[in-house]
Amino acid sequence: MKKRILAYGRLNEAQLAQLSRDFEVQDFHGLDSFDDSTFRAALPEAHGLIGSNLKILPELLEEAPSLEAIASVSVGYDNYPVETLTERGILLCNTPDVLTETTADTGFALIMATARRVVELADFVRRGDWQASIDRDHFGSDVHGKTLGLVGFGRIGAAVARRGALGFGMQVRYSNASPKPALEAELGAERRELDELLAEADFVCVTVPLSEATRHLIGPRQLALMKPSGILINIARGPVVDEAALIEALEMGRIRAAGLDVFEREPLSPESPLPHMANVVALPHIGSATHETRTAMAQRAVDNLTLALHGERPISLVNEGAWEKRRGRQPRP
Ligand code: NAP
C-alpha cells in the first residue's frame, strides 16, 4: 500500500504529480489552520507532511502515529517542535541554499530602499508633491563605503555581506555564534561582540534563526547602542526584534530607519504604526518570494520527502537524531 502524504502548501501541479507517482497525496493547498476537520481526519493515516507557514505543536503529533517525515518549504524551522520530532524519530527536512541569494537580494533591497528613501520619495512623486527641486529635507544617506553589520553570519548573512563588500565597497562586521575565518578572508569581515557591532555599524542586518536564544535579541538596550543614523534591517524572523522597542526607537528618532520583511505577528495588523512611518519600509515576508526560488524550494521539499519516505537520507535534514533513530530501527544497507 502506498504511503500517505498531506500537502498543505506551495506545490505546483508537476510537483504534486511527482509525489503522486509513489504516494497517496491529499492536497490541502491553501490550508490556513490545522483546525481544519478534513485535515485532522486524515492525520492519523499520514506518513508525510509537506508545507510551510503553519505552526506544528507537539499535541498535533499525538494524532499522527504513522508520521515518518515532515518536509518544510522553508529554511527556518522555528514552527516545528524539533525535540519532540527527534524523540519520535520523525525526520524534519528544510530547504537551505536554494533561497539564500534571493533572500539576500531582499535584504539588500531593504538596505537601498531605507537609505535612499526610495518608497517614501516614490510616494512623494505619486502624490504630485514634486513641484520643485528637492532639498536636503529629502536627502538620503550613502550605502557604498559604509559599515554593514550582520547579526548572524550563516548562508544568508554571508550572501548579504558579499553584496555589500564586493558590490558597494562596504566594511563588513559580524556577530555570530561561531567565528567564520573563511568569510573573514574572503570579505575582509571582522567578528565583533553584538554590542560592539551595534555601535559600529551603519546598517545592522539581522539574519539569525529564531530560537529561544535569539528571541528579542534586539531589544531596547541593543537599539539604544545603535548610531542615531543607524538603519536596522530584519530579514530573519520578526520575534528576533522586540517590535514595541523598535517602534519606540523609531518614534523617538533613536535610529534613523528600519527595513522589515518579517514581524512578530504575521500578517502585520493594519493597526501597526510601522507601515505608516515614513522611515520604515515594511514588506509582507517576501524574502524568498520569487517564482524561481519558490519553485526550487518546493522541489527541494518534494525531493526531501520522497527520499525520507523511501527510507533514504533526505538532502536537507534538520534533526540528525531522528535519522539515527530511524536507521536504528531499520536494517542498515
Ligand atoms: P544559517 O546558514 O543556519 O545561518 C544562521 C547563522 O546564525 C549561523 O551562522 C549561526 O551560527 C548563527 N546563529 C544561530 N544562533 C545564534 C545565536 N544564538 N547567536 C548568534 N548567532 C547565531 O541560516 P540561513 O540559511 O542563513 O537562514 C537564516 C534565517 O533566515 C532562517 O533561520 C530563517 O528564519 C530566515 N529566513 C527568512 C526568510 C524570509 O523570507 N525573510 C527567508 C529565508 C530565511 P553558526 O554558524 O555558528 O551555527
Side-chain angles (χ1 to χ4, degrees), residues 103-119 143 160 203-206 231-236 256-263 279-287:
T103 309
D105 286 348
T106 305
F108 226 85
L110 286 171
I111 289 173
M112 295 300 291
T114 46
R116 300 302 306 272
R117 303 169 63 176
V118 170
V119 177
V143 173
V160 173
F203 297 88
V204 173
C205 183
V206 179
I231 295 181
L232 181 80
I233 306 294
N234 187 3
I235 52 170
R256 182 162 99 54
L260 307 169
D261 185 44
V262 288
F263 300 88
N279 55 348
V280 171
V281 177
L283 297 177
H285 200 148
I286 57 155

Side-chain angles (χ1 to χ4, degrees), residues 114-127:
T114 46
R116 300 302 306 272
R117 303 169 63 176
V118 170
V119 177
E120 179 192 355
L121 295 179
D123 282 347
F124 173 84
V125 175
R126 191 177 291 127
R127 282 197 308 269

Side-chain angles (χ1 to χ4, degrees), residues 136-255:
R136 48 182 307 114
D137 286 351
H138 294 107
F139 290 174
S141 46
D142 279 339
V143 173
H144 67 270
K146 293 291 182 68
T147 299
L148 173 59
L150 279 312
V151 180
F153 207 36
R155 290 171 291 249
I156 294 170
V160 173
R162 250 177 227 115
R163 283 157 177 72
L166 307 177
F168 289 77
M170 299 176 90
Q171 289 86 51
V172 175
R173 307 287 179 260
Y174 72 96
S175 81
N176 191 72
S178 60
K180 302 285 177 182
L183 287 169
E184 289 179 15
E186 179 192 342
L187 302 172
E190 293 177 17
R191 190 175 181 209
R192 297 281 186 270
E193 291 303 323
L194 177 60
D195 284 4
E196 286 176 78
L197 174 130
L198 293 166
E200 191 177 346
D202 298 299
F203 297 88
V204 173
C205 183
V206 179
T207 65
V208 276
L210 174 62
S211 66
E212 281 322 303
T214 62
R215 188 175 295 275
H216 283 194
L217 183 68
I218 307 295
R221 194 185 69 75
Q222 290 73 20
L223 290 162
L225 291 170
M226 285 179 64
K227 298 177 181 180
S229 57
I231 295 181
L232 181 80
I233 306 294
N234 187 3
I235 52 170
R237 286 288 183 264
V240 177
V241 176
D242 178 340
E243 210 162 277
L246 174 62
I247 291 167
E248 196 186 320
L250 288 162
E251 281 173 347
M252 305 299 285
R254 287 195 207 110
I255 65 170

